[in-house]
Amino acid sequence: MIDYLRTGSQWIRYKNRTGHVLMDGNFDTTTPVIRTLNPPIVASRIRIVPASKSTRTVCMRAEVHGCKHDGVIYYSTAPDGSRLDTLDFKDNLFEDSQMYTESGIKRGLGLLTDGFVAHTSPFEKNQVNDSWIGWNRDTTDGHINILFEFEDVHNFTDVVLATFGNRIDQIDVIFSQDGKTFPFFSQISSSERQSANNTSRRYDFRVPLHNRAGRKVRISIRFSSDWMFLTEVHFTSAANLTLTSEKMPTASSAATQQIAVICGIIFLILLICVLYCIRVCLKRIRKNKSVDSNVKKDLIITHMGNKPACHVFQSSSKLSNDHYEIANDIVYARSQKSTLLSVSSKSSSSCRQMPPTWNNFNFPPPPDSKEEHVYSQPVSPENSSNGSYRSIRKVPALKKYPTSALLIGKSIGEGKFTIIKECIIFGGLKCAHKSTKEKDCVHGTRAMSDETACLLKCGRHPRIAELYGVDESYNLLLEHVEYGCVRNFWLASSAPLDTEFLVRICKDVYIAMAYLESINVVHGHFTPNNILLDSNFHAKICSPRGPSHHAQLRYSAPESIVNNEFTHKSDAWAVAASVYEMAYQCRQRPYEEFTNELIVDNACALLDHQPNAIVPMMPTVFNYEILQLLTRCFRVNQMERPTFHTLLEPFQN
């Protein structure tokens, strides 16, 4: 006979698959024999108990063959398997561990972890004994719970249930790291799709666990068929190597560690003090050396309107850095060639001293600073007395959330390479989880990387979907906008076009695009899918990616389609094309009758100024001023297209 111990258990007497505890030894004193343990033993200690019909002296040599076990050490089912009439589907292989959970349910190992997977129906007469555990719907109310316990905390990749039946309605998997509490945010739910085939069958049900960490795992199963059977449950996981060892340190090692920590802290404090002193000294030396040069550099030379001679005024650093108008992205390069000094065309013979006014200064274009990122943020017209859409703020740090703190739900949208799902961050914050459709998709990864860079540069803006952070795989966690994209919203609506509602959406879009233009961020692939509606029916734009991505054929400007050229002017074309579609309540796209090939040919014809080239004709749902500006957005010459600030003004009025 064999007895064995496991963590927290008493000695357990081993029984094989047929229920026997006695095992045949050899028939003589010289020939070794091998006996297979079926099912295998999971133990930390093994005790061999010789047995004989008559009293005798025992001389024995024994070897135990096996491997390291990192899987389940105990499980418990509530309720136990069902027994109806002659049908007995209880776990008769379950070991007699004499251990129970707090609720009085027996703990141990049995059929679900014995390594044997049955492939035939549990109702067959020749079925291997003790291959299935079955639960009847009438005795269990169609709901069972199974608790699995592990020696250490594991990061779980997936769980596979080898089952037999019609369909599992729902599976909820929840995790506990301390073995006591099961936080709700760790729960993962899965269900099986409704199938036209209602016949019972043997199949594997796999549930992805997304690297959830836990020492205990509770699986709740709901089913509506008459019976639900399990023959094996297999977890794929890895031990969590970030946790500290459970071995207690000795007194000497603990003292050594404490001294090392104190010395490290003292050394770190001294190092910080030395670095601070060096920094202060270098700053003073640099300041003394640059006094004269800074005085010369920090000057604005101008010509006073009421004096014939030039005067020199010391400039303010705040003035030269903060108070300037931002040049448009095409005209800016040309403006660099103009002089930075202006001489007034009007001079006076009067020598009387006159104080300078702001109109006497002609400021240079903004410096291209690469050291400190200070960005503009628009203010809505309701909150600004002067109608300005720019204010200064710094970009917040990008947060990184652990995967275990995210509860990811159903899909709510997708792009060419990416997919967006509902998500709840631990604490109750609802967001949108954006990831690539395929794990190693280069285009999707690049698109999300560029989108992250653009959104970080944008900072927080009321008309742009906010970036909350990323998860451990650098998938994006974005603001969840209540009603989704405007295209789906309008397609689901049967009401006639509300022009006032359309104008409000356009106003919100142009506020956001004027802001992107002011901080020199190109959206790059604007369509109606990038316009989202919040709970107050205001629009927010999303997914700016810059100038390095593919064109959206029906919405992109001809220079973007043919030459892969993306600027704020090409964004103006794309936004106007989206407004065109919204004016038809998203029921007619630009170039509706054109194939993709014809759209490319038409773009080439536009750039070649051919008379047969076609541009979208904006419907007359707007007033004359707005209609003229939107029509100018479809000019082939980029310089003739209006800026977003110009486009915003009539919508604000």
Side-chain angles (χ1 to χ4, degrees), residues 286-301 312-316:
R286 194 180 301 114
K287 182 177 180 181
N288 292 335
K289 288 184 177 179
S290 60
V291 168
D292 294 335
S293 60
N294 286 340
V295 170
K296 294 179 181 179
K297 289 180 180 178
D298 198 21
L299 297 176
I300 293 180
I301 303 177
V312 178
F313 301 95
Q314 185 172 354
S315 67
S316 166

Side-chain angles (χ1 to χ4, degrees), residues 451-466:
E451 183 175 338
T452 302
C454 290
L455 290 175
L456 281 177
K457 190 172 183 180
C458 290
R460 289 185 177 178
H461 187 279
R463 303 274 68 87
I464 299 176
E466 183 181 350

Side-chain angles (χ1 to χ4, degrees), residues 353-604:
Q353 293 276 351
M354 296 291 292
T357 64
W358 289 113
N359 295 328
N360 298 128
F361 291 92
N362 292 276
F363 298 106
D368 187 13
S369 174
K370 297 182 179 179
E371 295 180 357
E372 182 179 2
H373 300 286
V374 181
Y375 305 109
S376 303
Q377 179 180 3
V379 178
S380 61
E382 293 80 7
N383 300 329
S384 174
S385 59
N386 58 4
S388 172
Y389 60 87
R390 290 193 289 270
S391 62
I392 306 300
R393 70 175 288 112
K394 293 191 177 182
V395 177
L398 182 62
K399 293 184 179 179
K400 189 174 181 182
Y401 294 88
T403 306
S404 59
L406 305 178
L407 183 60
I408 301 174
K410 65 180 180 180
S411 173
I412 55 176
E414 63 178 29
K416 188 173 182 180
F417 305 111
T418 56
I419 186 169
I420 304 173
K421 297 181 179 180
E422 288 183 343
C423 181
I424 297 178
I425 303 175
F426 177 57
L429 177 61
K430 191 173 184 180
C431 68
H433 181 274
K434 190 171 191 176
S435 61
T436 57
K437 289 183 177 178
E438 299 177 1
K439 184 177 181 181
D440 298 321
C441 178
V442 176
H443 297 291
T445 303
R446 180 184 176 191
M448 291 205 303
S449 175
D450 290 346
E451 183 175 338
T452 302
C454 290
L455 290 175
L456 281 177
K457 190 172 183 180
C458 290
R460 289 185 177 178
H461 187 279
R463 303 274 68 87
I464 299 176
E466 183 181 350
L467 173 64
Y468 292 150
V470 296
D471 64 10
E472 294 173 348
S473 300
Y474 291 94
N475 299 315
L476 307 188
L477 300 174
L478 302 162
E479 177 184 359
H480 184 275
V481 185
E482 184 72 22
Y483 293 110
C485 79
V486 70
R487 173 182 287 155
N488 294 339
F489 178 82
W490 246 317
L491 290 177
S493 173
S494 58
L497 176 67
D498 184 346
T499 307
E500 182 179 350
F501 180 55
L502 174 61
V503 169
R504 184 169 70 172
I505 292 177
C506 294
K507 173 184 172 182
D508 293 339
V509 169
Y510 281 117
I511 286 175
M513 295 305 294
Y515 172 58
L516 293 185
E517 186 179 54
S518 71
I519 63 174
N520 201 25
V521 171
V522 175
H523 191 287
H525 75 306
F526 198 95
T527 71
N529 287 336
N530 300 122
I531 304 174
L532 309 177
L533 292 179
D534 63 15
S535 57
N536 296 320
F537 296 100
H538 277 283
K540 292 174 179 276
I541 69 168
C542 64
S543 303
R545 292 181 184 169
S548 303
H549 294 274
H550 60 86
Q552 307 289 324
L553 286 182
R554 298 187 184 276
Y555 307 92
S556 295
E559 68 271 12
S560 302
I561 297 174
V562 179
N563 301 326
N564 202 33
E565 179 183 342
F566 295 88
T567 63
H568 296 300
K569 297 300 184 180
S570 64
D571 277 350
W573 178 299
V575 175
S578 301
V579 173
Y580 169 92
E581 182 172 324
M582 289 192 295
Y584 287 103
Q585 291 187 274
C586 295
R587 287 172 170 81
Q588 178 175 321
R589 299 178 300 170
Y591 301 109
E592 182 71 38
E593 305 299 328
F594 280 32
T595 63
N596 289 347
E597 293 181 358
L598 288 177
I599 294 175
V600 175
D601 293 340
N602 185 69
C604 295

